[in-house]
């Protein structure tokens, strides 16, 4: 019988077989990647069907991976969900249309509509599905374990849900953000000057950005580690490295996208390969 670590090993290695990927997403011990033909490849932990992409596996433009469930947006703006649905995290509310972005937490999911509003579904034990008013003007979303985040068009970040570790306490000044993401219990945002701001659980230094804190174009958060993609295509990793989740393979160059799972990391290269 495979152990969790076997699945994490698979999650960190299987995706590098081909070179036809364009979008990546990591979950607990599973990964999703959209291919150039707009189908989804999935590998890693699959005890609850989180890697069993719903047919027809075609026409996807975006993906997200949660604890044990997965989400994909079709070109028609509808969301397809599969995997564990114990809290309704795979039950997309109607009307299932006009979605432009999607995010997956542990037991909840978020969808961003084309009109800038956020739709939520799944567990709401910590108000992680209760979007603060006004529910408008959002341009990006992210989901942690029991908290959620939304980036507004004015550059401010709105947070809601569990704040046990300060993951909802955006440091001042809450302005000039161009990107937002979440680890399981910590949150990260990129400023317009390319610097990263991090807050929340910092047990292993996952919120301490290595210097120089500049030239970042993307950021990702796992359980106890974080990743930042530089404008030169290199990846900076910090936090826990007990399973080499922060050991970027060489050559550390040519990356265009990053994703952090619970105990593993992914990088998409400009040639369409995944490391």
């Amino acid at each position: 019988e495979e152990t969790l670590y076997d699945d994490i090993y698979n999650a960190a290695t299987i995706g590098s077989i081909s070179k036809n990927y364009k979008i990546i997403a990591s979950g607990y011990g599973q990964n999703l990647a959209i291919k150039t033909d707009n189908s989804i490849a999935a590998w890693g932990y699959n005890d609850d069907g989180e890697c069993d992409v719903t047919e027809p596996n075609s026409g996807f433009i975006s993906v997200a991976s949660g604890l044990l469930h997965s989400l994909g947006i079709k070109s028609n703006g509808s969301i397809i969900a599969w995997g564990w649905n114990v809290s309704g995290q795979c039950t997309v509310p109607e009307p299932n249309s006009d979605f432009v972005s999607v995010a997956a937490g542990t037991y909840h999911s978020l969808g961003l509509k084309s009109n800038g509003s956020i739709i939520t579904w799944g567990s709401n034990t910590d108000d992680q599905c209760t979007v603060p008013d006004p529910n408008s003007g959002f341009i990006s979303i992210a989901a942690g374990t029991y908290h959620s985040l939304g980036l507004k068009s004015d550059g401010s970040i709105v947070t809601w849900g569990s704040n046990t570790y300060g993951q909802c306490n955006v440091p001042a000044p809450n302005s000039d953000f161009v990107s937002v993401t979440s680890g399981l219990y910590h949150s990260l945002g990129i400023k317009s000057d390319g610097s990263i701001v991090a807050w929340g659980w910092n047990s292993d230094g996952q919120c301490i950005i290595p210097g120089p804190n500049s030239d970042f174009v993307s950021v990702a958060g796992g359980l106890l580690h974080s990743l930042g993609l530089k404008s030169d295509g290199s990846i900076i990793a910090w936090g826990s490295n007990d399973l080499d989740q922060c050991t970027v393979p060489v050559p550390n160059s040519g990356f265009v996208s990053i994703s952090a799972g619970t105990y593993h990391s992914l990088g998409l290269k400009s040639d369409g390969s995944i490391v």
Side-chain angles (χ1 to χ4, degrees):
E1 181 180 355
E2 283 192 326
T3 67
L4 168 61
Y5 297 104
D6 292 325
D7 285 315
I8 290 170
Y9 174 78
N10 289 336
T13 59
I14 296 175
S16 60
I17 293 173
S18 61
K19 293 186 176 182
N20 59 350
Y21 300 107
K22 60 180 184 177
I23 297 173
I24 55 174
S26 300
Y28 175 54
Q30 77 277 14
N31 295 309
L32 306 173
I34 296 183
K35 295 187 175 185
T36 53
D37 66 0
N38 297 320
S39 66
I40 293 176
W43 65 98
Y45 196 78
N46 194 34
D47 277 14
D48 292 272
E50 55 269 46
C51 289
D52 297 332
V53 185
T54 303
E55 294 294 339
N57 185 357
S58 61
F60 287 100
I61 60 172
S62 182
V63 285
S65 191
L67 175 66
L68 298 171
H69 74 291
S70 304
L71 306 166
I73 299 181
K74 293 271 192 171
S75 57
N76 65 2
S78 64
I79 293 175
I80 307 299
W82 60 97
W84 201 29
N85 196 32
V86 65
S87 298
Q89 61 266 45
C90 289
T91 306
V92 186
E94 294 293 341
N96 185 355
S97 59
D98 295 321
F99 288 102
V100 295
S101 183
V102 67
T106 298
Y107 303 107
H108 73 293
S109 304
L110 309 175
L112 177 64
K113 292 272 192 173
S114 59
N115 66 1
S117 65
I118 296 173
I119 306 298
T120 64
W121 60 98
S123 175
N124 197 33
T125 55
D126 292 87
D127 289 330
Q128 63 266 46
C129 284
T130 306
V131 185
D133 289 326
N135 186 355
S136 60
F138 289 102
I139 59 173
S140 183
I141 53 176
T145 301
Y146 300 108
H147 75 291
S148 305
L149 306 100
L151 175 64
K152 292 268 191 173
S153 57
D154 65 2
S156 65
I157 293 174
V158 178
T159 64
W160 60 98
S162 174
N163 197 33
T164 304
Y165 301 99
Q167 62 266 48
C168 287
N169 295 336
V170 185
N174 184 357
S175 60
D176 208 29
F177 285 101
V178 296
S179 177
V180 65
T181 193
S182 179
L184 270 72
Y185 298 108
H186 69 293
S187 307
L188 308 105
I190 298 181
K191 295 272 192 171
S192 62
D193 64 0
S195 64
I196 293 175
V197 179
W199 60 98
W201 196 24
N202 193 36
S203 60
D204 290 69
Q206 60 266 41
C207 289
I208 301 175
I209 298 93
N213 186 359
S214 60
D215 296 321
F216 287 102
V217 295
S218 183
V219 67
L223 173 60
L224 300 173
H225 75 293
S226 303
L227 309 173
L229 177 64
K230 292 272 193 173
S231 59
D232 65 2
S234 64
I235 295 174
I236 307 298
W238 61 97
S240 175
N241 196 34
D242 56 340
L243 293 172
D244 289 332
Q245 60 266 52
C246 286
T247 305
V248 185
V250 294
N252 186 356
S253 61
F255 290 101
V256 296
S257 183
I258 53 175
S259 186
T262 305
Y263 300 105
H264 70 286
S265 303
L266 293 181
L268 177 66
K269 291 265 192 174
S270 57
D271 66 1
S273 63
I274 295 174
V275 178

